[in-house]
């Protein structure tokens, strides 16, 4: 609570503590900023007219260094414009200074809930930054294994097709097949067959060799064993 009126502060401290809040009190901007530096504050209730500064400008100052804190500005009677400016500067809301607990406490609760949520978001963000920093210190696991990850994506893409699995089964049973022979089996355009064979070949699951004018496709047993090992690793890894 920031106000240079001792009677007003005593009254608000009583009401606010009765509502379950802990309070800190400051008579001016200088005292308030010192408290904000050493204490964890969630909500600031501040008069806009202070001995050593303007409460409307103070909103911007607090928000710049403590963005998670919510601020309720207290305006003098008939000075609604001060409250509007405070909100533009980032205040949660404003009230006229002749407020009563029936108006203040619900607003404090709303501001506190928003502030607590923002503090939690900052905490989670800090934890994530720490974790990613830890990964970075371990020489960037993702960066080190990017080629393996890309290859794994190729494998998953290659086998994530019932048609390509059928093609793979065919070349396993009848090695050294041409595109024409595969085309006859599935009755699909050769261009479509070639496209799917390329995906299987790029993933290392089938191989192609040229024989005269024909390209013969065969199963790459070593590649298939790697696929099986990779899938087993995925499904058994906790």
């Amino acid at each position: 609570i920031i106000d240079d009126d001792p009677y007003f502060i005593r009254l608000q401290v009583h009401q606010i503590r009765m509502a379950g809040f802990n309070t800190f009190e400051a008579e001016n901007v200088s005292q308030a900023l010192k408290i904000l530096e050493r204490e964890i504050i969630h909500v600031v209730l501040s008069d806009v007219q202070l001995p050593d500064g303007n409460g409307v400008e103070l909103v911007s100052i607090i928000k710049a260094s403590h963005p998670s804190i919510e601020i309720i500005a207290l305006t003098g009677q008939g000075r609604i414009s001060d409250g509007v400016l405070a909100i533009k500067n980032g205040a949660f809301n404003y009230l006229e200074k002749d407020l009563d607990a029936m108006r203040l406490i619900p607003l404090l609760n709303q501001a506190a809930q928003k502030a607590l949520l923002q503090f939690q978001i900052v905490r989670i963000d800090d934890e994530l930054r720490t974790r990613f920093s830890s990964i970075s210190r371990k020489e960037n696991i993702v960066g080190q294994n990017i080629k393996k990850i890309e290859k794994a994506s190729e494998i998953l893409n290659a086998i994530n097709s019932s048609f390509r699995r059928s093609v793979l089964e065919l070349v396993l049973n009848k090695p050294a097949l041409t595109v024409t022979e595969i085309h006859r089996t599935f009755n699909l355009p050769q261009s479509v067959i070639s496209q799917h064979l390329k995906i299987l070949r790029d993933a290392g699951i089938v191989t192609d060799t040229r024989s005269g004018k024909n390209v013969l496709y065969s199963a790459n047993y070593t590649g298939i064993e790697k696929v099986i090992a990779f899938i087993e690793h995925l499904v058994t890894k906790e």
Side-chain angles (χ1 to χ4, degrees):
I1 306 171
I2 312 171
D3 199 288
D4 62 342
D5 182 344
Y7 172 78
F8 179 83
I9 283 188
R10 285 197 301 271
L11 176 62
Q12 296 313 313
V13 165
H14 175 73
Q15 292 179 335
I16 292 170
R17 288 186 177 177
M18 287 290 289
F21 291 89
N22 295 320
T23 62
F24 295 89
E25 301 83 47
E27 295 180 359
N28 52 50
V29 171
S30 179
Q31 288 182 9
L33 293 177
K34 288 178 182 178
I35 292 172
L36 288 169
E37 287 302 320
R38 69 172 187 262
E39 304 291 345
I40 297 175
I41 305 295
H42 296 100
V43 182
V44 170
L45 182 67
S46 177
D47 191 358
V48 297
Q49 299 295 327
L50 296 168
D52 59 345
N54 185 295
V56 174
E57 295 174 359
L58 180 61
V59 173
S60 296
I61 295 171
I62 294 174
K63 278 293 186 180
S65 54
H66 307 280
S68 296
I69 293 177
E70 291 302 326
I71 305 155
I72 298 173
L74 299 175
T75 68
Q77 191 171 15
R79 298 293 299 271
I80 293 176
S81 58
D82 288 337
V84 173
L85 286 173
I87 290 177
K88 287 183 178 179
N89 285 352
F92 179 77
N93 212 327
Y94 71 92
L95 286 172
E96 289 189 7
K97 195 171 178 180
D98 59 345
L99 52 91
D100 56 50
M102 294 295 290
R103 295 168 58 203
L104 173 63
I105 301 306
L107 195 60
L108 277 176
N109 281 318
Q110 292 170 15
Q113 288 175 2
K114 183 179 178 184
L116 285 169
L117 178 60
Q118 290 169 162
F119 271 80
Q120 288 173 350
I121 291 170
V122 170
R123 177 181 58 78
I124 292 170
D125 184 59
D126 288 342
E127 288 178 359
L128 290 174
R129 288 177 187 273
T130 300
R131 290 182 185 180
F132 283 121
S133 176
S134 175
I135 290 174
S136 178
R137 287 195 297 271
K138 292 177 182 177
E139 298 180 355
N140 192 341
I141 293 171
V142 174
Q144 282 184 329
N145 294 279
I146 192 66
K147 290 185 178 179
K148 291 182 180 179
I149 293 170
E150 289 174 351
K151 191 63 180 178
S153 298
E154 274 190 319
I155 292 170
L156 289 173
N157 179 59
I159 63 177
N160 189 27
S161 163
S162 58
F163 174 70
R164 285 195 289 275
R165 287 195 293 271
S166 297
V167 172
L168 182 58
E169 185 177 351
L170 180 65
V171 296
L172 277 168
N173 293 327
K174 297 179 180 179
L177 288 170
T178 65
V179 174
T180 302
E181 290 171 312
I182 300 172
H183 156 69
R184 288 172 183 165
T185 301
F186 294 105
N187 195 27
L188 286 173
Q190 291 192 20
S191 59
V192 174
I193 300 293
S194 296
Q195 182 182 1
H196 286 282
L197 284 170
K198 182 179 185 303
I199 292 172
L200 291 169
R201 184 195 63 199
D202 291 345
I205 300 173
V206 301
T207 59
D208 59 341
T209 55
R210 182 167 293 279
S211 176
K213 294 181 179 180
N214 293 320
V215 177
L216 303 178
Y217 288 89
S218 304
N220 179 7
Y221 291 96
T222 303
I224 293 169
E225 288 172 357
K226 288 181 179 178
V227 171
I228 293 170
F230 175 71
I231 298 302
E232 285 179 344
H233 174 75
L234 284 181
V235 299
T236 58
K237 188 74 172 177
E238 293 183 358

